Amino acid sequence: MTSSEDERLMRRALALAARAARQGDVPVGAVVVCDGMVVGRGYNRREQRQDATEHAEMMALRQASRRLGSWRLDRCDLYVTLEPCVMCAGAIIQSRIRSLVFGAKDPKAGACGSITSIEALSHNHVVSVQGGILAGESRALLLDFFRQRRAADRAEGSKARRRQKAVDKISQKAGPDQAAQE
């Protein structure tokens, strides 16, 4: 059973997911809530920053930890539009999140029931997990994004060209001195 509060917070995560899509990244958004207040927000920036760890959950957890002054987020709940991957599920457990609420299942990489169930493994912390909150809206956002991306890839001629454009854009922002250091 879902509460109106769960739906309200998932809608905040969906707004962040839409922001990721507008910036050319997979539309996943996340919010961390502590005592009724949003203390962390994040959205995917993998493509934008060319960093595999720039997932919505990781950004939201980092922001919440900084804001609360502790890596222990045991009074916090995480709302995310897509079932977390193994990396994010591990970070959720390590940060001691009290509960995880997610939207759509991820049949290719989901670590909370789809390809594995990391919360069922023996850990020193147990996270309460609830999936399916506004799953249809989360799934629709993802399907639309990938439909548009496939069309763009066909128009560009390949994924490789799109990826190279993203890398070139980052290099231009960094400037010639920073690009040479990397």
Side-chain angles (χ1 to χ4, degrees):
M1 180 146 85
T2 68
S3 75
S4 60
E5 185 67 1
D6 286 340
E7 289 184 5
R8 183 183 74 78
L9 291 164
M10 187 61 73
R11 287 194 191 288
R12 298 212 36 200
L14 280 162
L16 290 164
R19 184 175 179 183
R22 285 191 303 275
Q23 295 180 7
D25 242 306
V26 176
V28 179
V31 294
V32 176
V33 179
C34 184
D35 299 329
M37 275 183 37
V38 173
V39 294
R41 295 173 184 81
Y43 55 92
N44 275 9
R45 293 186 187 174
R46 265 189 343 178
E47 294 294 332
Q48 183 182 8
R49 296 200 175 162
Q50 292 298 297
D51 181 343
T53 66
E54 288 287 328
H55 288 204
E57 301 94 322
M58 302 296 280
M59 291 178 59
L61 292 171
R62 281 186 198 117
Q63 190 177 80
S65 292
R66 282 193 305 269
R67 205 166 264 160
L68 297 175
S70 176
W71 62 268
R72 294 177 198 267
L73 303 175
D74 53 354
R75 295 180 343 209
C76 299
D77 306 303
L78 174 66
Y79 291 79
V80 62
T81 58
L82 183 66
E83 178 183 5
C85 69
V86 172
M87 174 183 69
C88 293
I92 290 164
I93 289 169
Q94 291 300 316
S95 62
R96 311 297 195 264
I97 285 289
R98 178 175 53 196
S99 69
L100 164 68
V101 179
F102 68 87
K105 288 265 190 197
D106 184 350
K108 293 183 179 180
C112 298
S114 289
I115 63 164
T116 190
S117 195
I118 199 162
E119 75 274 7
L121 300 174
S122 181
H123 290 281
N124 59 341
H125 178 71
V126 178
V127 178
S128 166
V129 177
Q130 179 183 7
I133 307 299
L134 300 181
E137 291 179 39
S138 296
R139 192 172 21 262
L141 193 58
L142 287 158
L143 290 172
D144 185 52
F145 173 80
F146 284 112
R147 192 175 300 116
Q148 289 178 20
R149 178 168 276 181
R150 283 189 296 277
D153 285 347
R154 281 191 297 276
E156 291 278 327
S158 74
K159 275 193 251 187
R161 285 197 184 118
R162 178 178 43 82
R163 287 183 184 142
Q164 189 58 51
K165 278 184 178 180
V167 170
D168 291 345
K169 189 188 298 185
I170 289 171
S171 295
Q172 289 171 356
K173 285 181 184 176
D177 293 337
Q178 281 184 314
Q181 290 174 0
E182 294 175 5

